[in-house]
Amino acid sequence: MPNYRTLRDPNAEYTMRDLSSETMGIEAERGGGRDVEITDVQTTMVDGNYPWILVRVYTDAGVVGTGESYWGGGDAEIIERMTPFVVGENPLDIDRLYEHLVQKMSGEGSISGKVISAISGIELALHDVAGKLLEVPAYQLLGGKYRDEVRVYCDCHAGDESEPASNAAEAERVVEELGYDALKFDLDVPSGHEKDRANRHLRGPEIDHKAEIVREVCERVGDAADVAFDCHWSFTGGSAKRLAAAVEEYDVWWLEDPVPPENHDVQAEVTKSTTTPIAVGENVYRKFGQRTLLEPQAVDIVAPDLPRVGGMRETRKIADLADLYYIPVAMHNVASPIGTMASAHVASAIPNSLAVEYHSYQLGWWEDLVEEDDLIREGRMEIPEEPGLGLTLDLDAVEEHMVDGEELFDEA
């Protein structure tokens, strides 16, 4: 296996791509137990309903912070690559270290994608470290809180997701048995009427099928729950407009990602064509990418995925930008308890939070990864008052569920 920590970037040796404390001349003693250095960064991948990448930042004070990068391949190697850039740095300088990593990795693609999600994983862990060092919960580092608990919406999966009645039955069960009052279902499911899956065009019978799913689910839960529907960036602009128009008569919380994420001009046209609320954002990186959604008001609701788009402070900045246009934030989230709680801390600290997604209700051991119990109760997540994220990894559970070939973190 290559030693990613020793890879060279020749350009970075003579260009202004370095915001390290040495380059910036940061030498003043801070006192009060705040003179701390990062000693290592490690990752472990857990085989959940997604392959979750957990990240730990170690310090010479014996304090360890845990974060999470967006799931999938590549992030662990990129984090290994970036570790030398933060070793020796003070973990309390979260914003500078975030920008430092963006600058150092600019030649390797830190505008978006896997580099940003890898940086996000370290950034989450830095919030956990900083909170523990300063003895405050992470939300306090973001400006304080608006709410003690945040609303959680349950991403639901029926036995037969293409069958309207099956979705409606699962919606009723999740509301009545699990206590959620906010749900989401998929609409990019086969209808049996497709002619060509590549062209993104929806024929009339396909739209009728998707509208029937919406109708049956919304009518089944009534006023007991808000219901959103996810399209996973599957349709053309014209088809998205027709679909959004077809469900306008129903109480849809939002229609998510109806068109591919690259062309925000098309996205704006879809959003402004309908009274059905449109939510977008999980595939748009950093505040710069979200700006082109928010400034033209191309969305009704913005849906960043915190471990993917840039981390906790970046998501806070996106929420502030959204607030300029009175746009609420519904955080996309498919994370383990670590990334989910990080999203909840940010949701607590911003005024325009709608809800945080929960995507693991059918995974019986999701909560086992941490020592704390009852993270989600009656569709709400209470914000811990313990320092940092307020969670403690159960390393035995992490080891039990690791992806084959992974190694466990070092202990704190």
Side-chain angles (χ1 to χ4, degrees):
M1 179 177 177
N3 185 349
Y4 291 99
R5 297 192 183 199
T6 61
L7 295 180
R8 293 179 59 238
D9 177 0
N11 291 332
E13 296 174 7
Y14 61 87
T15 59
M16 295 178 66
R17 294 188 189 176
D18 197 312
L19 298 178
S20 66
S21 55
E22 180 181 6
T23 301
M24 298 296 294
I26 300 174
E27 299 176 344
E29 292 187 7
R30 307 184 188 201
R34 294 180 295 126
D35 291 295
V36 179
E37 292 186 2
I38 296 171
T39 58
D40 198 9
V41 182
Q42 298 180 13
T43 63
T44 294
M45 189 181 295
V46 174
D47 192 13
N49 54 322
Y50 290 84
W52 298 314
I53 302 170
L54 303 181
V55 183
R56 298 198 103 178
V57 169
Y58 296 78
T59 70
D60 62 358
V63 175
V64 175
T66 304
E68 181 172 354
S69 179
Y70 195 73
W71 65 271
D75 290 46
E77 290 79 7
I78 297 171
I79 290 170
E80 182 79 3
R81 164 85 171 107
M82 295 188 297
T83 295
F85 306 151
V86 296
V87 167
E89 293 285 345
N90 192 313
L92 296 175
D93 294 341
I94 299 173
D95 205 65
R96 179 178 60 82
L97 292 181
Y98 171 82
E99 294 295 340
H100 176 48
L101 292 177
V102 169
Q103 287 292 319
K104 290 289 285 187
M105 296 296 290
S106 60
E108 297 174 56
S110 61
I111 294 173
S112 63
K114 284 292 183 178
V115 174
I116 289 300
S117 64
I119 293 173
S120 300
I122 295 175
E123 197 261 11
L124 266 65
L126 291 176
H127 277 86
D128 196 33
V129 169
K132 291 173 179 176
L133 289 171
L134 300 176
E135 299 184 348
V136 296
Y139 73 78
Q140 201 71 65
L141 303 173
L142 300 167
K145 65 180 175 181
Y146 282 85
R147 48 193 71 85
D148 288 331
E149 61 181 19
V150 299
R151 193 180 188 192
V152 176
Y153 75 88
C154 185
D155 190 296
C156 302
H157 296 278
D160 183 353
E161 299 191 58
S162 64
E163 175 54 51
S166 182
N167 286 282
E170 180 66 354
E172 183 177 41
R173 185 188 77 83
V174 171
V175 170
E176 293 186 355
E177 296 183 14
L178 304 184
Y180 288 91
D181 64 0
L183 316 174
K184 186 168 78 176
F185 286 85
D186 291 342
L187 280 188
D188 59 321
V189 293
S191 66
H193 302 290
E194 292 83 11
K195 297 296 184 183
D196 187 332
R197 299 186 67 155
N199 63 27
R200 301 185 184 275
H201 176 71
L202 288 175
R203 301 171 60 242
E206 294 175 80
I207 290 178
D208 292 342
H209 169 259
K210 298 181 192 316
E212 182 63 16
I213 292 175
V214 172
R215 184 189 69 79
E216 291 205 25
V217 171
C218 288
E219 289 183 355
R220 183 71 66 91
V221 301
D223 294 334
D226 293 316
V227 189
F229 296 90
D230 198 342
C231 302
H232 292 109
W233 50 94
S234 296
F235 310 129
T236 66
S239 293
K241 290 177 185 178
R242 292 165 61 218
L243 175 60
V247 301
E248 284 182 345
E249 63 183 289
Y250 310 117
D251 189 15
V252 174
W253 200 15
W254 70 73
L255 193 66
E256 184 170 325
D257 286 321
V259 296
E262 298 91 351
N263 191 325
H264 293 173
D265 293 334
V266 174
Q267 180 61 65
E269 288 185 10
V270 172
T271 298
K272 293 176 181 180
S273 74
T274 180
T275 59
T276 300
I278 304 295
V280 175
E282 69 178 271
N283 276 319
V284 182
Y285 292 86
R286 305 182 68 204
K287 60 182 182 288
F288 303 102
Q290 301 283 347
R291 179 185 67 83
T292 61
L293 280 176
L294 295 168
E295 285 187 350
Q297 299 172 66
V299 294
D300 297 302
I301 298 164
V302 68
D305 190 300
L306 186 148
R308 187 179 201 173
V309 305
M312 296 176 71
R313 288 182 61 78
E314 192 75 358
T315 301
R316 169 72 209 233
K317 294 172 184 178
I318 291 166
D320 289 341
L321 181 58
D323 203 36
L324 294 177
Y325 300 94
Y326 317 127
I327 293 174
V329 179
M331 290 192 208
H332 183 269
N333 172 65
V334 294
S336 81
I338 300 299
T340 303
M341 184 59 78
S343 293
H345 274 276
V346 175
S348 173
I350 60 175
N352 49 339
S353 173
L354 275 185
V356 173
E357 183 175 11
Y358 174 53
H359 208 291
S360 303
Y361 79 114
Q362 294 173 322
L363 185 69
W365 52 266
W366 181 82
E367 197 170 89
D368 295 347
L369 290 177
V370 296
E371 296 180 4
E372 292 74 18
D373 298 322
D374 297 325
L375 299 185
I376 301 173
R377 289 181 288 184
E378 297 296 316
R380 299 295 187 273
M381 178 172 273
E382 185 175 348
I383 308 302
E385 291 299 327
E386 288 76 20
L389 295 180
L391 297 180
T392 306
L393 275 185
D394 185 322
L395 293 183
D396 291 335
V398 172
E399 185 172 26
E400 179 183 353
H401 296 290
M402 288 190 306
V403 169
D404 289 344
E406 280 291 291
E407 295 183 5
L408 189 63
F409 303 112
D410 290 341
E411 297 216 14

